[in-house]
Structure formats: structure tokens, C-alpha cells
Amino acid sequence: MSTPVVDHVALTVTDLDVSERFYRELLDLVRLADFGEVRVLVHRASGFTLSLARHGDAGGCFDETRTGLDHLGFAAASRAELEAREAQLRGMGARYTPIRDMPFGWHLNLRDPDGIALEFFAAGPLLAAGLAELRDGDLDQAGIDARAREYLAAAGAS
């Protein structure tokens, strides 16, 4: 059995037109299909697919503190890429918080038109090293736990 890979993400939105414009501009997506109450957007180069659905009166804004999605995170290659994203968001008039420097990397958090929490994240050197060790090593769960404690201590986040 193959390792599961995310095939697509589907979000419930209140206004398909507004959300489609937002995500097309934010992520450089194109519309693949329009099924009336569902629009399918895709990123040409990567094939990442985002479906936007309008379910009658979905009601209210998104709240990450309720059961369900907390946020949707996108990978960024570097802090410099996050700075370019921040300028893009400013130009779009999007709601976002400035880039945050964290022990394991950098976060840029924002909200879509329905308040859905989104994040761009660039791993820092310490996290990149830990992920490489995990990918290339043959650690059991106890070994992973021990190495994670060491990385957390090195980051001052124990």
C-alpha cells in the first residue's frame, strides 16, 4: 500500500466569486471546473487542487477553535519567500499577521474572505536537519522521541 498523499482540499465558503478571486490571486490557481455550487481550482505546475463549495446557508465565519480544521498550512522555501508573500498580501488588502520568527522556522498567518485560517511556513535550519534525520534515518518511536527532545532543547523550546 502506498503512502497517502493529500490529493485535494475542499473548503466551504459563503461567496464562490469572492473566494475564487482570493485563492486564484493568492496561490496562482486556475479554474478547472465550475459545477455551480462547487468550483475546482488547480495550480498548473504542482497539480495542487482546491475545491470551493457553497452549501446553502453555511452560516457564520470560520472558527478554528471548534472541532474541524484548525488551519491550512502551505510550505514556503525560505523567509525571503515569506517576505514576498507578505508584500503580496498587503497588495491584496488581505488580513494577515506579520511574519513570526519561531525556534523551528518562520510563520506568516492570514485569513481568507470567510475567516478561514491559512499559514505559510518556512522551516529553519534546525527543523530542516531534524526532518532530514527522520527521513534518512531508521529510528523507532523511542528514538524519534529522544531526538525530538534534543531538538527542542537546542531550540530553547523544551
Side-chain angles (χ1 to χ4, degrees):
M1 187 179 309
S2 65
T3 303
V5 175
V6 174
D7 178 68
H8 66 277
V9 173
L11 300 175
T12 298
V13 300
T14 57
D15 187 315
L16 287 169
D17 294 330
V18 169
S19 292
E20 179 180 344
R21 274 192 306 275
F22 177 83
Y23 283 103
R24 286 178 70 163
E25 184 175 351
L26 179 68
L27 302 174
D28 192 29
L29 304 177
V30 296
R31 184 186 317 131
L32 183 64
D34 184 343
F35 299 105
E37 294 300 310
V38 175
R39 295 198 186 148
V40 180
L41 310 176
V42 66
H43 185 264
R44 290 177 194 255
S46 70
F48 170 73
T49 303
L50 176 67
S51 294
L52 303 173
R54 173 87 169 88
H55 297 289
D57 185 18
C61 275
F62 173 81
D63 181 352
E64 69 272 10
T65 64
R66 294 178 27 211
T67 301
L69 180 73
D70 182 85
H71 71 279
L72 180 58
F74 297 99
S78 64
R79 192 179 197 293
E81 182 181 325
L82 292 180
E83 291 167 1
R85 285 281 181 195
E86 191 171 38
Q88 176 192 24
L89 295 170
R90 200 170 26 259
M92 292 172 60
R95 295 181 295 162
Y96 69 94
T97 57
I99 297 168
R100 291 185 303 155
D101 297 325
M102 306 297 284
F104 289 109
W106 303 275
H107 300 258
L108 175 59
N109 298 291
L110 63 140
R111 300 283 178 166
D112 85 347
D114 287 298
I116 296 173
L118 306 170
E119 174 185 9
F120 287 97
F121 175 75
L126 190 60
L127 178 58
L131 292 174
E133 182 179 354
L134 182 63
R135 181 184 59 248
D136 300 335
D138 190 25
L139 297 172
D140 62 8
Q141 190 61 56
I144 293 170
D145 292 343
R147 292 298 290 142
R149 283 191 297 276
E150 292 170 16
Y151 279 107
L152 287 168
S158 54

